[in-house]
Amino acid sequence: MFNQFSLMSINQSNKMKQTGGTKRSSYLHVLYVGVIVLPLFLLGCYLYNEKQRFGQFQEFKKDNLQEENKEKKIGLVSLEVCDVFTGKWVLDNVTHPLYKEDECEFLSEWVACTRNGRPDSKYQKWRWQPRDCSLPRFDAKPLLEKLRGKKLMFIGDSIHYNQWQSMVCMVQSIIPSSKRTLNHTAQMSIFITEEYNTTISFYWAPFLVESNADPPDKRDGKREPIIMPGSISKHGENWKDADFLVFNTYIWWTRHSKIKVLRGSFITNESEESNEVGIYSMYEEVLRTWKNWLEQNINPNRTSVFFSSMSPTHVRSSDWDVNGGVTRKCEKETEPILNMSKPVDVGTNRRLQEIAVNVTKSTAKVHVTFLNVTTMSEYRKDAHTSFYGSRNGRLLTPVQKADPRTFADCYHWCLPGLPDTWNEFLSLYIIHRS
């Protein structure tokens, strides 16, 4: 390569001698520029571009750190600065559903709507988006780590059983099948994870206090409920050792304007003398009995207490402007109520809700976190089991499906579905507040 370059130089030199001194001088000037100035210019460009890239990297890094801090802020303090219960439903085919129906071995036929023949699945894919912040994507592992060695208990009616099944399905996938079990007793359903030494259970008490609906063979709702508003200790003995207690009571209160009250005992006979009292005064009395039990029996340094608000029904299609609501309930609904610019009235008893809010706020010793899932759930007319749940262990017949006013279940919810979102809220509070 050196010989070729030398030869080129000699030839060029001879040529320059022939063309004269002026051309020789121009050539040397160009060569000087090419050899000396151009590399310096290119070096300057390189250094300038590197500076620009470094600056962009710093900005990128800064932005990323800000985003990470924002995410950390959302995860850690959004419950302090953001109302997670106010927002809108967003269709999300990527992150939802949170689990698949056929992958949850503990999901009962009662709420397995797809398995029972429901032809649409869009109801599984709606994600709740709070107005002023973002919910972290649900992750079972940090929740189970928080529950390690502890007991989480849902207490209430069949809506809470619905939510308990949801929670079991949300966490069971990361637990080896050999290290998880499900047991049932007369009053309880108990999911146990051996790996985390965690218990997630449901306790049946639709009125929280004792009632004639407590025995397993009296839970079909065919009898008029009778309650003992001052008797809660029998149930409460089963709640004392839990680390997280989640209560609800609502649906059984909504049948009539009055409820039968027994000031005595169920031991002798159900026909024992009772009187009827308005549901509002009795609902408040029962919740005050419950509140007093909490303050006398729960150590707030150990146990976190939650109360879930009313789960709405969708039994009048006139509430969302369909056919005047004469013959339809929720049986053909496949979309939420998407116009969220105005409040929805689907018949939720706001007075009972107000009583629940006031009583939970009045506790002095034990803090109760009120999980306000009512409004967000009122938009989900599409999410009920309708014709695709079972009754008394049996699926609906074609004849029953032809009578939606009698047989469409617009109280309970398909899984995967709405109760998963309720559990996302509960998980946030367990992880970041307890």
Side-chain angles (χ1 to χ4, degrees):
M1 188 172 184
F2 173 77
N3 292 333
Q4 290 176 350
F5 179 80
S6 299
L7 185 59
M8 272 177 60
S9 298
I10 293 170
N11 291 335
Q12 288 173 349
S13 178
N14 292 333
K15 198 172 184 180
M16 287 177 68
K17 287 179 181 179
Q18 294 172 1
T19 57
T22 303
K23 290 183 179 181
R24 184 171 182 273
S25 177
S26 289
Y27 176 80
L28 290 174
H29 180 72
V30 171
L31 184 63
Y32 171 80
V33 171
V35 175
I36 305 299
V37 178
L38 183 60
L40 291 175
F41 174 76
L42 293 176
L43 178 62
C45 290
Y46 171 79
L47 293 175
Y48 175 79
N49 289 333
E50 282 301 297
K51 182 178 180 181
Q52 291 293 100
R53 278 196 291 268
F54 181 75
Q56 291 172 355
F57 173 76
Q58 289 293 89
E59 288 298 316
F60 175 77
K61 186 176 180 182
K62 180 181 178 182
D63 290 342
N64 273 5
L65 287 173
Q66 287 175 344
E67 286 299 314
E68 288 177 10
N69 291 335
K70 184 178 178 182
E71 289 299 320
K72 290 178 181 178
K73 185 177 181 182
I74 287 172
L76 293 175
V77 301
S78 62
L79 298 177
E80 307 296 337
V81 301
C82 178
D83 174 13
V84 295
F85 305 108
T86 299
K88 63 181 179 180
W89 289 104
V90 177
L91 189 62
D92 185 344
N93 291 310
V94 177
T95 66
H96 284 62
L98 297 176
Y99 54 91
K100 294 182 179 179
E101 181 183 291
D102 58 0
E103 293 176 353
C104 182
E105 62 179 288
F106 304 107
L107 186 61
S108 69
E109 186 179 61
W110 171 55
V111 291
C113 297
T114 300
R115 188 190 307 164
N116 296 336
R118 179 165 177 168
D120 63 303
S121 61
K122 196 173 180 180
Y123 67 92
Q124 301 179 359
K125 300 172 183 177
W126 293 93
R127 172 176 55 82
W128 182 249
Q129 175 59 57
R131 183 183 60 195
D132 301 321
C133 58
S134 295
L135 291 177
R137 183 173 179 177
F138 176 79
D139 186 349
K141 188 170 180 57
L143 175 61
L144 286 172
E145 286 294 348
K146 195 71 176 183
L147 294 175
R148 184 180 290 277
K150 297 180 179 179
K151 296 181 179 180
L152 166 63
M153 183 180 290
F154 294 87
I155 299 150
D157 55 29
S158 57
I159 300 296
H160 242 29
Y161 183 76
N162 207 171
Q163 185 176 354
W164 167 80
Q165 281 213 322
S166 162
M167 179 62 84
V168 170
C169 288
M170 288 169 72
V171 303
Q172 59 90 36
S173 63
I174 69 167
I175 305 166
S177 57
S178 61
K179 295 183 180 296
R180 60 193 190 203
T181 56
L182 182 64
N183 301 315
H184 297 280
T185 67
Q187 209 76 24
M188 295 181 68
S189 297
I190 309 166
F191 176 73
I192 302 171
T193 72
E194 179 184 332
E195 185 172 351
Y196 290 88
N197 189 26
T198 296
T199 298
I200 302 174
S201 59
F202 167 78
Y203 186 95
W204 173 264
F207 294 99
L208 301 185
V209 296
E210 288 186 63
S211 76
N212 67 336
D214 294 339
D217 60 342
K218 300 293 191 301
R219 299 175 187 177
D220 55 12
K222 294 180 179 180
R223 303 181 184 216
E224 285 301 307
I226 305 173
I227 65 171
M228 294 175 60
S231 299
I232 198 171
S233 297
K234 181 180 177 181
H235 289 325
E237 285 299 314
N238 297 281
W239 311 338
K240 287 182 177 180
D241 65 341
D243 301 278
F244 300 94
L245 293 168
V246 190
F247 295 91
N248 92 317
T249 179
Y250 173 63
I251 290 295
W252 285 69
W253 292 89
T254 61
R255 297 185 177 190
H256 307 291
S257 61
K258 293 185 177 182
I259 191 168
K260 289 184 178 180
V261 175
L262 178 65
R263 306 284 182 180
S265 171
F266 287 112
I267 295 177
T268 55
N269 198 305
E270 227 177 72
S271 62
E272 196 170 337
E273 183 179 352
S274 61
N275 63 310
E276 291 189 339
V277 180
I279 60 170
Y280 299 113
S281 61
M282 195 46 52
Y283 189 72
E284 182 169 1
E285 182 176 340
V286 164
L287 287 187
R288 293 201 178 279
T289 297
W290 164 77
K291 182 197 79 167
N292 292 336
W293 181 88
L294 289 176
E295 301 209 321
Q296 293 169 15
N297 294 277
I298 294 301
N299 177 1
N301 294 321
R302 176 197 170 180
T303 303
S304 298
V305 181
F306 302 87
F307 188 93
S308 294
S309 67
M310 290 69 186
S311 173
T313 62
H314 295 84
V315 296
R316 300 190 311 265
S317 58
S318 59
D319 295 335
W320 51 91
D321 302 321
V322 176
N323 296 339
V326 178
T327 59
R328 287 189 57 182
K329 293 168 70 176
C330 67
E331 75 277 4
K332 294 183 179 180
E333 299 298 336
T334 59
E335 297 273 344
I337 300 171
L338 294 176
N339 181 10
M340 303 183 73
S341 61
K342 60 181 181 179
V344 174
D345 181 8
V346 292
T348 307
N349 194 316
R350 300 293 179 185
R351 190 170 172 186
L352 290 180
Q353 173 123 343
E354 183 180 356
I355 292 170
V357 170
N358 290 337
V359 173
T360 55
K361 284 183 177 179
S362 69
T363 54
K365 178 184 174 184
V366 178
H367 173 74
V368 178
T369 298
F370 190 82
L371 300 173
N372 188 10
V373 300
T374 302
T375 300
M376 60 169 295
S377 303
E378 287 177 322
Y379 294 98
R380 295 305 306 276
K381 59 183 173 62
D382 61 311
H384 293 285
T385 54
S386 183
F387 292 148
Y388 305 103
S390 63
R391 289 195 172 193
N392 301 318
R394 297 180 180 179
L395 298 179
L396 269 63
T397 66
V399 173
Q400 290 173 324
K401 290 181 179 180
D403 183 11
R405 296 189 70 182
T406 302
F407 293 100
D409 183 349
C410 300
Y411 290 80
H412 302 100
W413 308 93
C414 295
L415 293 180
L418 176 64
D420 304 331
T421 303
W422 301 347
N423 282 325
E424 286 186 273
F425 294 143
L426 178 61
S427 299
L428 276 179
Y429 279 93
I430 290 176
I431 293 171
H432 298 307
R433 278 276 189 90
S434 60

